[in-house]
Amino acid sequence: MTIDLPVDSILQRTMSSASSLPLIQRALKQGDRLAIIDGVGRFRYTDLLTAADRITGYLLKSQPDLGEARVAFMVPPSLEYAAVQWGIWQAGGVAVPLCPSHPLPEIEHIIRDTKAEVVVSHPDYASLLRSLSRGLKVRFLLTSEVSKAKKCPVPEITLDRRAMILYTSGTTSKPKGVVTTHRNILAQITSLIEAWEWTADDHVLHVLPLHHTHGIVNVLLCALWAGAACEMLPQFDAKAVWSRFVHSDLTLFMAVPTIYIKLIAAWEKATREEQQVLSNACSKMRLMVSGSAALPAAVFERWKAISGHTLLERYGMTEIGMALSNPLHGERRPGFVGVPLPGVAVRLVDESARTLEDEGQAGEIQVRGPHVFLEYMGQPEATARAFRKDWFSTGDEAVVDKGSYRILGRRSVDIIKTGGDKVSALEIEEVLRNHPTIQECAVVGVKDQEWGERVCAAVILRPNDSLSLGSLRNWAKERLAKPKVPAQLLLLDELPRNVMGKVNKLKLRKLFE
Ligand code: AMP
């Protein structure tokens, strides 16, 4: 016999006034502590939760649960950004952050690819997103209208439900939507909280884009999980960052290598007295982290001289969050990304997928653990191809030396097969950066009838310098094995980079082809 329960009583059992999500549960306990400082003001955890409740009410209307509907949103770095993200999660939706500086076709692709049902926009982006949403027949909401919404009961969200979709940087292949669950995000956060010893006394400066795992998980969500304060700048600006270093009570800073390069350039332009003030300001902080691309050894050294900080370099990717990190306490070696983070299993495999047991052998990094993503959006074959049983194949090559990993680069673009040898573009770039005329460089392999691939170097020269291929080759032959010596040189004013500062090697390769 089956008993038909009234729908209302079933709903009452699965709905409650406060979200079951651990991140929100923790925030409820933080009360009046400072959560976010943005261009508008200083906001407490209670302010964040109230703002998130309004978004939830606005999204749900009379529905009990968004049921993993995708909600794309474009909001600048601010309290409002976090409120929209949490509002979507409380309502049972999947958060899809959009990057304001992406070209329109890319934004449209994300809305279409995720089959987003709602687009939430800050008024600054309304003209762009309103007509796009109308064309795609997607519900359009403005954050400025949300204040009218009321708090409403929220559904219970189990940790295995989908939470977020981030698009890969697309610098080595077509961008794919990386779907993570609440459990994945929780594992990514707690691993970093433990490794880098985040506490409620931390105060982090946020200068990274908020459509990428680095800015979302490593900085914003770790800060909010810890009950710490997150100070957000609208975008990266070297002068503004130095000013915050001097005037804020920061304890943490996390950035990509290009940001450290720009901060060094700004420091070098300052007067002696100013430099002293800037350097002293860094000594107040407890940790500075670099990641998302290889940190050049010269930048590691220069930053140490300027700030007194030995940058902690870590390795991760959208699909896995962070996997490897130099130690918080202990030696941080330039050029190395350290050891597996808590809860993360890492191994290297050869081309026949055999695990490499010995140090010194180069192989592909595979990663396993609760932080690894669920699937690529709408691409079951690509998802299946990316896994060997439960090990995710990162597509990055590395080698281990004295227990610490050194990244050799992405298999698809950085591992160059030339005349039967396999060489690492990252290793060649590191050497070329020491040439007296070279300011910046990037190396790619380009198809070649004779060699399979030839090593090609794109170079930005220091002001008023010149360089010929012949003289570069003569210089390089004394420092690099023969197959690694560039066969082609291209002088550029700028390297093609994405908003994370990462060189787009597919675009660069086309310049040589
Ligand atoms: P994304 O998914 O945009 O974060 O890009 C992830 C990719 O960035 C990785 O697969 C690596 O190729 C690269 N990457 C991240 N961190 C590092 C690092 N510390 N050194 C070298 N490459 C890195």
Side-chain angles (χ1 to χ4, degrees), residues 169 212 292-294 313-318 337 396 407 410 502:
S169 53
H212 187 273
S292 291
E313 186 174 7
R314 57 56 178 181
Y315 158 88
M317 69 192 298
T318 310
V337 291
D396 287 312
I407 307 294
R410 290 207 62 71
K502 219 178 279 204

Side-chain angles (χ1 to χ4, degrees), residues 181-192:
T181 63
H182 288 283
R183 191 184 302 286
N184 297 147
I185 296 171
L186 192 67
Q188 294 175 5
I189 296 171
T190 50
S191 173
L192 294 183

Side-chain angles (χ1 to χ4, degrees), residues 196 204-205 214 241-242 245 250-255 260 263 278-291 295 300 303-304 306-314 325-328 332:
W196 299 343
V204 68
L205 183 64
H214 196 168
V241 169
W242 276 118
F245 282 3
L250 299 170
T251 61
L252 287 169
F253 184 63
M254 302 189 188
Y260 287 105
L263 290 175
L278 302 182
S279 295
N280 287 346
C282 295
S283 64
K284 295 183 297 194
M285 284 188 236
R286 70 170 184 92
L287 177 65
M288 290 182 157
V289 178
S290 173
L295 176 68
F300 176 96
W303 189 254
K304 195 171 180 175
I306 286 175
S307 70
H309 278 268
T310 306
L311 285 173
L312 180 151
E313 186 174 7
R314 57 56 178 181
S325 169
N326 273 287
L328 182 65
R332 299 174 197 159

Side-chain angles (χ1 to χ4, degrees), residues 88-111:
I88 295 168
W89 286 344
Q90 284 192 127
V94 178
V96 184
L98 300 170
C99 173
S101 62
H102 276 168
L104 192 61
E106 233 164 89
I107 294 167
E108 182 174 343
H109 167 70
I110 293 176
I111 297 173

